[in-house]
Amino acid sequence: MLEIKNLHVSVGGKEILKGVNLTMKSGEVHAIMGPNGAGKSTLSYAICGKDGYEITEGTVTYNGKDLLDMEPDQRAGEGLFLGFQYPVEIPGVSNMNFLRSALNSQRRYRGGKDMPAVEFLKLVRAKAKELDMDAEMLKRPVNVGFSGGEKKRNEMVQMAVLNPSLAVLDETDSGLDIDALKVVSDGINRLRSPENSILMITHYQRLLDYVVPDFVHIMADGKIVRTGDKTLAIDLEEKGYVGLGITENAA
Amino acid sequence: MVKILHLHNPEIGKHFEGIRSSLTGADQAWLGAVREEAMTRFTNTGIPGPKVEEWKYTNLGFLANENFAVGTKADQTSEIKAFYDAAYLADIAGPVVVFVNGHIYPALSSYPDEEGVEFSVFSENTSAFRDTLESSDQASSLNDLNRAMVTDGYRLDIAAGVQVRQPIQIIHIVTSATDMKLIPVRSQVTASKGAKARIIETFIGAENERYWGHMISETTLHDAADISLIQFQLQGKQAIHMTELHTTVAEKANFSHMSLQLGAEISRTELINSFTGEYAHIDLRGAYLGRVKQSHDIYTRINHDQPNCQSNQLYRGVLDEGGKSAFQGKVVVARDAQKTNADQSNKNLLLSRKAEANAKPELLIYADDVKCSHGATVGEMDANQLFYLRSRGLDEVAAKGLLVEAFVAEVFDDMDDEILRDAFKAKAAGWLSREERA
């Protein structure tokens, strides 16, 4: 269970999150929507521990453990996964090598042993195939020369291999054409299970046609201002933020 | 004010007088004369100081005060075997030649033995080195010091058309002892027309000893010859390591040099290359990794004296806290060397604000129809890449290690020999995981 209480976060001295409260139980899928500058990405980075996101107040716990006290890799070890809005290119590191290092690091963190090489290879190939990724791409350097859609597909393959208990997906659907969007939503739906929870941050209602959330939150000016079920997203699509009484860059 | 360019240490001359009668080949008059003349030239010139432009980044000031004694033959010890095991690439079958403290070590050596390959060792056949020792064409003062004191070395001659089947491994070991050793060795490689060979040379030595390894190599490639020389520098952390390689490359010949600098307190690699024929190719590449108190200096020169030749240089440096490096790459394209293609790239990654990387590309182009490029960068690790890796579970050390490995990988990634490529990777990774990050 993820519990965020009264979270205040500043970036470069400027307060972006101004008291976020959110509780997610195992197996739930939540969507966070909101206008530009509402603090959606800041929330995902703060949960996953990126440098430069200063927590000035509040708590974030996951399964009772204080996440804010942990390094990003320890949070991954606890089961977190951050799907990046802009996946990073890493020349010289093959996807395979990257995935193996990541998976085994997490296994070791949990007190386990490295996955045998053959088993690992099978797992990665199977997940790549499920998500329609060319096996050749696994040998290529991480995201280097990948199109926007291929990068997001790669995020989904990583997520499938690492099988996180909590996935935070930061605008994973942005900039995708309809085919790529289907791949991404397929990846998310495959992860969905009573054990795994998913927090989707999105700008558009479109993704929610493919991945139906249990809860929809609307964020504005660093706070969650409205919570509802999937109909809230549909309402928002019809009426817009202003129609719902939410103004962009509300002071 | 007069700039003092060279330094002098009278103890070196005294040491030479004291040991000259026990040096290799002391009974041969020609060699005695060579040594004497070389010593005189060295004494007159002195040790290049930091005001000498080429030595700006490697301060040899300590040589004015520290006194080294020429290394002597070692008895068999388990230490030697341990160094051998660490250096020898067992997956590459083939001949191996071991020098310990600058002297051939027969117990672990098996010389190349195949048709068309002639291999000799200086201490067993000094006359095979007479021509090169008597010629002082390229003598720098340190080259002269080496010539005066040289204890041992090897000569390899490959006959026309002979493609040496297996790589030849050469291992230079320096043992621990209380004295400060000078290890002056030489090599001479000649590849006749169309000959081909690969030489893997490893320098390794006692971790907590001050010693000075000094090697002069002369390599001659005749038409269409193909020589690849790979050097692993794994010297002890207080060592001084210097290599000076002079190479000439004739028509359609192919010379490649690849080095990995991991050890030594001070390392200096000089690669002086000239084209003597057209349509030839020189490829120089390497990685240097340095941390506290370490300094690596790569000095290259490529003389494009012939048209239609190509040279490529690719160097990557990684410097952690207290580490220092220099890459000085000089390319000279002569007036008539049209259609020259010369490319140079040097990138450095600083892991600490207290690290230093110097890049000094120098292109002197006197021809007008040429393609020459150079690029040099010094940068820090990318915070976004680091966060991306860590968000997937890699801890800080593992994530940085992977990024450093990736940074230097470009140097050896396209090597055709998988065993060698893995050896490069494993040795570089070994440096990264060392805990002595003071």
Side-chain angles (χ1 to χ4, degrees):
Chain A
M1 189 166 83
L2 176 73
E3 277 190 291
I4 301 172
K5 285 185 186 158
N6 190 31
L7 185 65
H8 291 249
V9 177
S10 293
V11 181
K14 186 173 184 252
E15 188 169 57
I16 307 290
L17 296 190
K18 301 170 180 173
V20 172
N21 292 290
L22 178 68
T23 301
M24 281 177 70
K25 295 195 181 107
S26 284
E28 288 178 355
V29 175
H30 291 230
I32 294 187
M33 305 182 73
N36 279 328
K40 304 188 299 294
S41 288
T42 298
L43 178 62
S44 66
Y45 284 142
I47 294 172
C48 295
K50 192 173 184 183
D51 270 354
Y53 290 77
E54 196 200 341
I55 316 293
T56 52
E57 213 182 320
T59 57
V60 179
T61 61
Y62 184 56
N63 295 334
K65 291 182 188 170
D66 178 7
L67 279 188
L68 299 180
D69 220 23
M70 296 182 189
E71 296 292 329
D73 43 286
Q74 293 173 317
R75 300 183 199 204
E78 294 294 333
L80 256 71
F81 177 91
L82 174 62
F84 283 66
Q85 184 177 2
Y86 303 108
V88 180
E89 297 187 6
I90 309 184
V93 178
S94 76
N95 263 318
M96 268 306 198
N97 189 9
F98 170 50
L99 273 172
R100 183 168 41 234
S101 304
L103 183 70
N104 287 333
S105 294
Q106 294 196 13
R107 286 165 70 103
R108 275 177 242 152
Y109 178 84
R110 293 171 199 137
K113 284 186 178 157
D114 287 6
M115 185 180 275
V118 178
E119 196 184 324
F120 170 76
L121 212 63
K122 267 190 192 165
L123 172 74
V124 174
R125 287 202 180 130
K127 296 299 180 190
K129 200 174 173 199
E130 277 176 23
L131 291 159
D132 218 12
M133 182 197 251
D134 188 351
E136 274 304 300
M137 289 185 91
L138 293 168
K139 294 181 192 161
R140 285 174 45 189
V142 179
N143 293 326
V144 176
F146 286 24
S147 70
E150 284 168 340
K151 283 179 182 171
K152 297 291 169 71
R153 189 195 304 268
N154 201 16
E155 293 288 288
M156 292 301 105
V157 172
Q158 289 171 31
M159 187 171 81
V161 170
L162 298 172
N163 190 28
S165 57
L166 173 61
V168 179
L169 306 175
D170 183 17
E171 301 207 20
T172 296
D173 56 328
S174 69
L176 296 185
D177 61 28
I178 192 71
D179 293 330
L181 184 68
K182 278 180 181 163
V183 168
V184 165
S185 41
D186 184 35
I188 301 171
N189 284 325
R190 281 173 190 276
L191 186 73
R192 207 164 177 175
S193 80
E195 290 78 43
N196 297 338
S197 10
I198 298 162
L199 179 61
M200 298 185 293
I201 290 166
T202 180
H203 216 68
Y204 308 102
Q205 191 264 334
R206 200 172 60 151
L207 176 68
L208 309 185
D209 288 340
Y210 297 95
V211 185
V212 181
D214 300 306
F215 297 93
V216 174
H217 310 276
I218 295 174
M219 207 168 162
D221 192 31
K223 281 181 184 173
I224 289 175
V225 292
R226 195 79 58 90
T227 294
D229 61 11
K230 60 182 177 181
T231 57
L232 177 59
I234 297 163
D235 254 18
L236 178 63
E237 183 78 2
E238 279 171 12
K239 298 174 186 158
Y241 291 112
V242 178
L244 288 180
I246 299 158
T247 49
E248 289 196 36
N249 304 320
Chain B
M1 204 175 83
V2 180
K3 272 209 287 189
I4 299 168
L5 288 175
H6 286 78
L7 314 159
H8 294 272
N9 180 350
E11 294 302 320
I12 297 174
K14 284 185 203 160
H15 177 60
F16 175 71
E17 289 305 322
I19 60 158
R20 58 188 300 179
S21 61
S22 57
L23 283 168
T24 309
D27 56 337
Q28 288 168 70
W30 72 266
L31 186 52
V34 162
R35 290 188 190 276
E36 169 115 33
E37 282 164 25
M39 198 59 192
T40 305
R41 281 198 303 269
F42 168 75
T43 308
N44 289 340
T45 312
I47 299 155
K51 298 265 168 64
V52 175
E53 184 63 23
E54 292 84 1
W55 288 90
K56 191 176 164 186
Y57 302 103
T58 299
N59 190 341
L60 298 181
F62 64 92
L63 290 177
N65 312 310
E66 289 185 32
N67 298 315
F68 293 83
V70 170
T72 50
K73 274 188 187 155
D75 295 326
Q76 284 194 40
T77 58
S78 56
E79 184 190 23
I80 294 173
K81 184 66 170 62
F83 280 132
Y84 172 85
D85 289 339
Y88 181 58
L89 298 173
D91 294 338
I92 297 177
V96 54
V97 181
V98 180
F99 293 93
V100 176
N101 299 341
H103 296 269
I104 187 72
Y105 192 76
L108 289 171
S109 299
S110 61
Y111 296 174
D113 178 23
E114 73 178 87
E115 186 91 23
V117 179
E118 222 176 295
F119 187 85
S120 14
V121 166
F122 179 64
S123 57
E124 295 164 355
N125 179 11
T126 49
S127 59
F129 294 76
R130 184 164 179 171
D131 287 352
T132 173
L133 285 172
E134 282 184 342
S135 135
S136 53
D137 289 353
Q138 298 161 322
S140 62
S141 70
L142 291 174
N143 194 327
D144 273 330
L145 178 65
N146 179 294
R147 190 184 305 255
M149 304 281 213
V150 60
T151 52
D152 220 334
Y154 64 92
R155 173 173 171 169
L156 175 69
D157 292 272
I158 309 156
V162 171
Q163 314 227 321
V164 180
R165 283 193 308 270
Q166 291 160 318
I168 298 163
Q169 295 193 55
I170 313 279
I171 300 173
H172 302 271
I173 293 169
V174 182
T175 59
S176 55
T178 47
D179 57 336
M180 289 178 23
K181 287 189 280 288
L182 168 63
I183 318 289
V185 292
R186 300 182 85 89
S187 74
Q188 193 189 335
V189 174
T190 306
S192 296
K193 190 173 180 178
K196 184 175 181 176
R198 174 169 270 172
I199 301 160
I200 302 161
E201 201 155 29
T202 303
F203 301 87
I204 192 165
E207 196 55 32
N208 296 307
E209 296 289 337
R210 186 71 155 173
Y211 61 87
W212 178 10
H214 194 272
M215 179 158 191
I216 308 283
S217 304
E218 285 168 31
T219 306
T220 307
L221 283 77
H222 292 283
D223 291 357
D226 187 336
I227 293 291
S228 129
L229 175 60
I230 288 141
Q231 295 189 314
F232 293 111
Q233 191 270 97
L234 318 171
Q235 302 278 34
K237 65 180 173 203
Q238 292 182 29
I240 297 136
H241 172 85
M242 293 186 194
T243 53
E244 192 182 309
L245 288 91
H246 297 267
T247 307
T248 60
V249 182
E251 193 172 304
K252 290 181 184 156
N254 205 344
F255 176 66
S256 98
H257 181 269
M258 183 182 278
S259 65
L260 181 64
Q261 310 289 335
L262 297 182
E265 182 176 311
I266 294 168
S267 89
R268 162 94 169 179
T269 306
E270 279 184 43
L271 300 164
I272 315 294
N273 309 272
S274 297
F275 287 106
T276 56
E278 295 185 38
Y279 302 100
H281 187 198
I282 292 173
D283 186 278
L284 309 178
R285 51 178 67 201
Y288 44 89
L289 293 83
R291 55 167 67 103
V292 66
K293 279 190 184 165
Q294 263 188 309
S295 161
H296 297 303
D297 185 352
I298 309 276
Y299 178 89
T300 70
R301 178 169 177 141
I302 298 179
N303 294 316
H304 274 274
D305 292 331
Q306 299 283 334
N308 297 306
C309 288
Q310 188 181 343
S311 68
N312 298 87
Q313 298 187 65
L314 179 73
Y315 285 90
R316 296 289 177 263
V318 179
L319 288 312
D320 205 346
E321 188 165 326
K324 192 181 143 189
S325 75
F327 171 76
Q328 309 182 71
K330 190 167 184 173
V331 174
V332 184
V333 182
R335 189 177 296 277
D336 301 325
Q338 303 296 1
K339 305 286 180 193
T340 286
N341 198 336
D343 182 38
Q344 187 185 94
S345 159
N346 172 229
K347 291 183 185 168
N348 298 281
L349 180 62
L350 302 185
L351 302 181
S352 157
R353 293 281 164 100
K354 289 179 184 157
E356 179 184 328
N358 299 281
K360 190 180 159 205
E362 216 178 328
L363 272 68
L364 299 171
I365 302 168
Y366 300 102
D368 51 20
D369 186 14
V370 300
K371 244 169 83 182
C372 295
S373 68
H374 69 90
T377 64
V378 179
E380 288 180 295
M381 197 164 261
D382 185 311
N384 286 324
Q385 291 181 347
L386 201 56
F387 176 63
Y388 192 61
L389 293 177
R390 296 192 69 188
S391 78
R392 296 294 181 259
L394 281 78
D395 66 30
E396 191 176 0
V397 172
K400 281 187 172 172
L402 200 59
L403 290 177
V404 169
E405 214 181 295
F407 183 78
V408 297
E410 207 181 333
V411 171
F412 44 79
D413 244 6
D414 56 358
M415 275 184 106
D416 51 358
D417 188 323
E418 209 170 315
I419 297 170
L420 271 176
R421 196 174 58 219
D422 290 348
F424 261 93
K425 272 191 187 173
K427 288 183 201 304
W431 179 89
L432 295 167
S433 60
R434 269 211 239 171
E435 281 170 15
E436 55 197 74
R437 293 163 189 248

